[in-house]
Amino acid sequence: MKFGLRLRGGLLATLIMFGAPVIAPVGAVFVSSSAFAQTVQSISVEGNRRVEVETIRSYFKPGPGGRLDQAAIDDGLKALIETGLFQDVRINRGSGGQIVVSVVENPVIGRIAFEGNKKIKDEQLTTEVQSKARGTFSRAMVQSDTLRIAEIYRRSGRYDVRVTPEVIEQPNNRVDLIFTIEEGAKTGVKSIEFVGNNAFSSYRLRDVIKTRESNLLSFLASGDIYDPDRVEADRDLIRRFYLKNGFADVQVVAALTEYDPEKKGFNVTFKIEEGSQYRVGAIDFRSSIPNFDPSSLRAYSRVYVGSLYNVESVEKSVEEMQIEASRRGYAFAVVRPGGDRNFEAHTVSVVFNIDEGPRTYIERINLRGNTRTRDYVIRREFDISEGDAYNRALVDRAERRLKNLDYFKSVKITTEPGSSSDRVILVVDMEEKSTGDFSISGGYSTTDGALAEVSVSERNLLGRGLFAKASVTYGQYARGYSLSFVEPYLLDYRVALGLDLYQRQQLSNSYISYGTKTLGFSPRLGFSLREDLSLQLRYSVYQQEITLPYYLANCNNIAGSAFNPSPAFVNANGGVPDLSSTNGLGCYSDGEASLPVRKELANGKTLTSALGYTLTYNTLDNNKNPTDGLLVDFRQDFAGVGGDVSYLKSVVDAKYYTPLVSDIVGLIRVQSGMLNKIGSDLRMLDHFQMGPNLVRGFAPNGIGPRDLNPFGSRDALGGTKYWGASLELQMPFWFLPKEVGLKGAVYADAGGLYDYKGPTSWATTGEVNLPGCTPSTVNPVSAGTCTGLVYDDSKVIRSSVGVGLIWQSPFGPLRFDYAVPLSKGKYDRTQEFRFGGGTTF
């Protein structure tokens, strides 16, 4: 491209005065004083084909009186060149001093094509490049597009990419633009090293960062792809990890990356200066605001004397205190934390200073980037609005909430000056991402057998922030479907409304002789009481029935009524029962379900209507792979709000994780439950059924009260009370790469299930076989007084020890357990090996 040069001032006049020859540069124009009187309309245009004459003239802006001077001509020349519409622009002087603008237009792009691209589709590349079909061709723009395509491939881990643009000329000043791409092989991270880390092992720190080393299963994930932005973000993750573990002076000095041509990948090294570990020595509260008692904010502090200095706890304390001060009417109060280090004692004295901040108001909240998500879905995450006092703590909380929605790839809230010095504009920049999921998942467990599920879900339905999911399950022993819907802001309040409709069918298997069919509906309300405390209220109504093969429910031929013989009656004939039809035991030749099961079958469909709630306390550091924190669930359900059954069921489950030494994590779990009768008799199906979910090493439904009929199915009856305790140590396999995701576990379990209170007889009032009852006889036939259910309900403590293999695989979480029971009931059923897991594909 040739650009015109401008010559002004006395030098030009001097050359003309002395008759010196002047050679005009390309594109320049020397206009005599007589030309200054020309107007825009007198400009002549040559060489234009698509661009109108008036459009070209419009770039020349006349001065006072509508006249063109030299400055206006020079500015017009520059503006025409910057449009990118022309290959060349020249301004010459015609006869009589007339200004002539000669242009050579850029060609028009007929089509844009990509060749050689297999990993990235044409559609994505088309949206990324600036050159467009039917647009103006620009070599500078093509060069920029070439670099952009290469950058896209590098972001996906292909640093050997080669992009070559080719221009094919066509008639009528048109061209075709072809980008030929050599994608090259994927460039991964071959090693991740840490230098200077003494308090935490490299194995532990690899769990903190997002970048992963390449391994055999890397093709299933993308964490091993080298991304400089991700590596830089990892530096901050490492720093934050140290800061919340007491290392107030930590610095991640550098993240060094080096390409290894032999390994064809990058080596990443993080250089760390840890400093000393500090504990909190003292906590003080100070205020410069009149009539404000700073000690009143002590209850909102999450920092405690003697605990490790934790920057996250300090930040959360500041946020809670500042919000509470705002609630009390101090809208401009600012909480600033300070800390004095005692280098000898390795303590930090934390001071929370409450001061009056600048009186700044929010003029507007501008949203950018939400092309699909409605504005109100974003604005309702703010506890402040236009006109309110500016509060940084509330702004940070809104940003965190928006990120937690999982609707956006990135969210950033910044401020811009408003219309006056006491006004600010909040700017929310977002980049949306796909929120719909379609998955086909499969799994297998020793309890449920093979299982497959197809589901479709949407987290941001119609851009309104609604959640909807539909799933269908079909397995060896379990089948059904479910529909779920969640409105996170009911009537514009921070209350979530959920609706669930489900149908489940459990088939008989080696653990239970009967099947169940359940059809239910459950609305629920969710409340976030605090960041670590939530409450759910629910109502459940479901219809349930038992299914049994005929041969397991045909022993009702004694005196024309159903009969449940005792073991003594069945074995009265010298231990060999007479199964002829004359004594009524012929039905037992093919087995028989337990009395409570057959009674459930006789009762037909049963409707349960229950109110319940769940209170959850959660301080886990990571919900998927926790290493520290406490999770407590307390649930209660009251059945009897209509329906056919009534009871009160209470359950508590607590898990405490704590890091020990050398990346070993300790887990303590305690659980308990109680079922209370209210009004009508309890059903067997309402009892707790326990097995490996309470003590590993036992079969499903393998613990607790059990029918002792030797010719029946000996079904587990369940209990109304249970307790359990577990101690587990989870440890990595240090000889394996972190990215493999394998951990080992050793554990000890103990627990018990007892106190069956379900049906024991066909009589309405119920009968129980008390010790000393008269046993039944066969010859002569006599029912005796032991006509009720005979079952074992011993209060034996069940215990076991075992080892486990935990794999956070790319296919989904998998767990293998081998446990050996140490103590058990006489009639308990054991299962030493257990496997469970699934995948989505």
Side-chain angles (χ1 to χ4, degrees):
M1 184 73 70
K2 297 179 181 179
F3 296 93
L5 300 179
R6 293 181 295 179
L7 299 177
R8 296 185 185 179
L11 176 61
L12 176 61
T14 303
L15 292 173
I16 296 174
M17 182 181 300
F18 287 94
V22 178
I23 302 176
V26 176
V29 58
F30 301 104
V31 185
S32 65
S33 58
S34 62
F36 291 165
Q38 298 193 42
T39 64
V40 172
Q41 295 300 321
S42 65
I43 295 176
S44 175
V45 178
E46 298 177 350
N48 60 309
R49 302 179 64 180
R50 299 187 313 275
V51 183
E52 299 290 338
V53 172
E54 292 302 323
T55 301
I56 295 175
R57 288 174 175 171
S58 66
Y59 286 93
F60 296 89
K61 308 298 181 183
R67 306 296 182 179
L68 288 174
D69 56 14
Q70 186 65 46
I73 295 173
D74 291 347
D75 290 341
L77 171 64
K78 181 180 178 181
L80 284 173
I81 294 172
E82 289 177 349
T83 61
L85 297 173
F86 309 101
Q87 290 184 8
D88 193 12
V89 180
R90 296 170 180 264
I91 299 180
N92 301 306
R93 186 175 58 187
S95 59
Q98 184 184 21
I99 297 175
V100 179
V101 179
S102 299
V103 297
V104 177
E105 294 181 348
N106 274 323
V108 174
I109 301 175
R111 69 183 181 95
I112 298 178
F114 304 93
E115 295 181 355
N117 56 310
K118 298 179 181 178
K119 302 300 180 181
I120 300 180
K121 296 181 179 180
D122 288 2
E123 293 78 6
Q124 181 179 348
L125 295 175
T126 301
T127 59
E128 294 290 346
V129 298
Q130 292 179 306
S131 300
K132 303 296 180 184
R134 295 183 298 278
T136 302
F137 172 81
S138 169
R139 296 190 180 276
M141 189 179 296
V142 170
Q143 183 65 26
S144 175
D145 291 339
T146 302
L147 296 175
R148 177 59 182 161
I149 294 172
E151 180 64 19
I152 294 171
Y153 272 92
R154 291 191 181 101
R155 292 293 180 185
S156 65
R158 299 182 182 275
Y159 274 76
D160 291 333
V161 64
R162 298 289 184 272
V163 182
T164 305
E166 182 181 0
V167 180
I168 302 176
E169 295 186 1
Q170 301 291 349
N172 299 321
N173 199 29
R174 291 181 175 271
V175 296
D176 290 342
L177 180 58
I178 312 296
F179 291 97
T180 303
I181 303 171
E182 297 177 19
E183 294 181 323
K186 212 174 189 181
T187 311
V189 176
K190 297 304 180 181
S191 70
I192 301 175
E193 302 295 336
F194 300 88
V195 177
N197 55 309
N198 299 313
F200 300 100
S201 68
S202 297
Y203 191 95
R204 179 69 181 93
L205 293 178
R206 287 191 185 98
D207 199 34
V208 175
I209 62 177
K210 301 295 185 182
T211 303
R212 295 287 181 260
E213 291 182 355
S214 299
N215 57 72
L216 293 176
L217 300 176
S218 293
F219 68 93
L220 297 172
S222 59
D224 70 310
I225 298 172
Y226 175 70
D227 185 342
D229 291 341
R230 182 163 52 202
V231 171
E232 189 63 28
D234 286 340
R235 288 182 63 184
D236 187 60
L237 290 175
I238 296 171
R239 175 179 167 274
R240 297 286 298 179
F241 174 75
Y242 271 92
L243 286 175
K244 76 175 186 178
N245 283 281
F247 293 86
D249 299 325
V250 66
Q251 292 186 46
V252 184
V253 179
L256 306 176
T257 58
E258 181 182 5
Y259 182 77
D260 189 336
E262 293 184 1
K263 296 181 180 179
K264 295 185 178 181
F266 285 89
N267 299 324
V268 181
T269 303
F270 295 96
K271 187 177 180 181
I272 304 170
E273 294 180 2
E274 292 181 333
S276 300
Q277 190 177 40
Y278 294 86
R279 291 188 175 272
V280 178
I283 304 174
D284 193 14
F285 300 83
R286 301 172 185 172
S287 173
S288 62
I289 302 176
N291 302 321
F292 186 88
D293 180 13
S295 62
S296 63
L297 297 179
R298 186 177 296 273
Y300 298 91
S301 172
R302 301 192 181 188
V303 183
Y304 306 100
V305 175
S307 64
L308 284 175
Y309 178 74
N310 187 332
V311 167
E312 288 188 1
S313 296
V314 173
E315 292 173 349
K316 290 178 181 178
S317 300
V318 169
E319 180 179 297
E320 295 292 336
M321 292 178 189
Q322 193 160 319
I323 292 172
E324 178 60 23
S326 179
R327 290 189 185 125
R328 296 181 185 181
Y330 299 91
F332 301 100
V334 177
V335 180
R336 296 185 176 93
D340 296 324
R341 294 177 177 82
N342 186 327
F343 298 101
E344 295 180 357
H346 298 299
T347 60
V348 177
S349 297
V350 180
V351 179
F352 293 101
N353 298 291
I354 300 96
D355 302 315
E356 186 78 20
R359 293 183 170 271
T360 307
Y361 298 88
I362 298 174
E363 183 173 323
R364 290 194 314 275
I365 301 177
N366 293 339
L367 309 181
R368 299 174 181 171
N370 57 315
T371 56
R372 180 169 176 266
T373 306
R374 308 292 179 94
D375 282 6
Y376 73 85
V377 173
I378 300 167
R379 293 182 183 274
R380 68 190 182 188
E381 299 299 329
F382 286 81
D383 291 328
I384 50 178
S385 58
E386 284 97 344
D388 290 346
Y390 174 75
N391 188 317
R392 187 66 221 179
L394 292 177
V395 173
D396 291 342
R397 172 182 282 187
E399 182 174 323
R400 186 169 62 252
R401 286 174 176 172
L402 289 172
K403 290 178 179 178
N404 291 338
L405 289 176
D406 201 24
Y407 302 162
F408 310 101
K409 290 182 181 178
S410 62
V411 178
K412 185 66 177 178
I413 301 179
T414 57
T415 59
E416 294 180 352
S419 58
S420 60
S421 59
D422 62 345
R423 297 286 189 274
V424 294
I425 299 172
L426 294 184
V427 179
V428 186
D429 288 302
M430 299 154 286
E431 183 181 357
E432 292 187 312
K433 66 179 183 180
S434 175
T435 55
D437 292 303
F438 174 77
S439 68
I440 303 174
S441 59
Y444 178 83
S445 73
T446 48
T447 303
D448 298 324
L451 190 70
E453 180 184 81
V454 178
S455 66
V456 58
S457 65
E458 172 58 60
R459 300 191 304 275
N460 187 14
L461 186 64
L462 303 176
R464 299 176 182 270
L466 306 174
F467 173 84
K469 180 178 180 179
S471 65
V472 177
T473 303
Y474 191 89
Q476 191 173 355
Y477 302 121
R479 297 162 189 174
Y481 64 85
S482 66
L483 300 172
S484 298
F485 173 83
V486 177
E487 164 56 84
Y489 278 79
L490 180 62
L491 301 177
D492 290 330
Y493 289 98
R494 201 175 294 276
V495 177
L497 169 66
L499 302 174
D500 299 302
L501 176 67
Y502 56 90
Q503 188 273 334
R504 291 194 296 263
Q505 182 180 10
Q506 181 70 45
L507 305 181
S508 60
N509 51 53
S510 58
Y511 306 112
I512 54 174
S513 65
Y514 56 91
T516 58
K517 291 182 179 179
T518 306
L519 177 64
F521 173 71
S522 178
R524 49 193 163 86
L525 296 174
F527 305 84
S528 180
L529 305 180
R530 287 189 338 199
E531 189 172 354
D532 55 4
L533 188 64
S534 61
L535 173 68
Q536 183 192 87
L537 305 178
R538 61 181 170 274
Y539 169 71
S540 302
V541 56
Y542 57 90
Q543 179 181 274
Q544 195 171 38
E545 64 176 319
I546 274 185
T547 59
L548 267 177
Y550 171 75
Y551 66 88
L552 292 182
N554 60 349
C555 277
N556 52 352
N557 52 358
I558 297 279
S561 62
F563 179 55
N564 192 72
S566 67
F569 184 79
V570 174
N571 295 301
N573 188 21
V576 180
D578 181 1
L579 299 178
S580 66
S581 60
T582 58
N583 62 16
L585 297 176
C587 60
Y588 276 84
S589 62
D590 53 4
E592 190 74 0
S594 299
L595 181 148
V597 177
R598 287 179 285 137
K599 192 164 186 178
E600 294 282 358
L601 181 67
N603 290 336
K605 297 179 180 180
T606 303
L607 183 68
T608 300
S609 176
L611 289 172
Y613 70 91
T614 299
L615 190 64
T616 302
Y617 177 73
N618 187 349
T619 63
L620 297 181
D621 60 342
N622 187 313
N623 288 329
K624 292 184 178 180
N625 188 22
T627 60
D628 191 15
L630 179 64
L631 174 63
V632 181
D633 275 331
F634 179 71
R635 305 189 300 275
Q636 279 194 312
D637 288 281
F638 169 70
V641 189
D644 303 320
V645 298
S646 59
Y647 59 77
L648 176 65
K649 183 179 287 188
S650 305
V651 173
V652 62
D653 188 356
K655 298 177 183 178
Y656 175 66
Y657 295 84
T658 182
L660 300 176
V661 295
S662 300
D663 303 317
I664 298 176
V665 176
L667 165 61
I668 299 175
R669 180 182 182 183
V670 293
Q671 52 181 319
S672 179
M674 180 177 292
L675 177 66
N676 297 103
K677 174 183 175 181
I678 299 177
S680 61
D681 293 337
L682 294 173
R683 301 188 308 155
M684 183 205 70
L685 291 179
D686 295 328
H687 284 60
F688 297 110
Q689 297 285 356
M690 292 293 167
N693 54 334
L694 187 69
V695 181
R696 285 163 284 196
F698 289 84
N701 295 3
I703 294 176
R706 186 173 298 276
D707 179 17
L708 298 183
N709 187 338
F711 284 87
S713 55
R714 291 203 170 187
D715 290 300
L717 305 177
T720 58
K721 300 180 180 70
Y722 78 89
W723 67 272
S726 299
L727 176 62
E728 180 170 309
L729 298 178
Q730 298 179 357
M731 63 206 70
F733 294 108
W734 293 277
F735 54 87
L736 292 176
K738 178 75 174 181
E739 290 69 27
V740 175
L742 277 174
K743 291 192 298 184
V746 294
Y747 51 82
D749 297 341
L753 173 68
Y754 49 88
D755 205 6
Y756 171 73
K757 292 185 178 179
T760 58
S761 168
W762 286 94
T764 305
T765 57
E767 301 175 43
V768 178
N769 288 322
L770 299 176
C773 64
T774 304
S776 307
T777 60
V778 174
N779 190 13
V781 176
S782 170
T785 61
C786 301
T787 57
L789 175 70
V790 179
Y791 62 95
D792 173 68
D793 195 1
S794 57
K795 295 179 174 59
V796 177
I797 296 178
R798 284 80 172 177
S799 63
S800 69
V801 293
V803 295
L805 183 64
I806 306 168
W807 187 21
Q808 296 293 335
S809 75
F811 308 103
L814 303 174
R815 176 153 184 156
F816 306 82
D817 282 299
Y818 180 79
V820 178
L822 300 179
S823 61
K824 63 186 182 69
K826 182 178 180 180
Y827 303 101
D828 288 345
R829 298 181 179 179
T830 61
Q831 183 189 72
E832 295 180 346
F833 177 76
R834 185 166 181 255
F835 163 73
T839 183
T840 300
F841 47 88

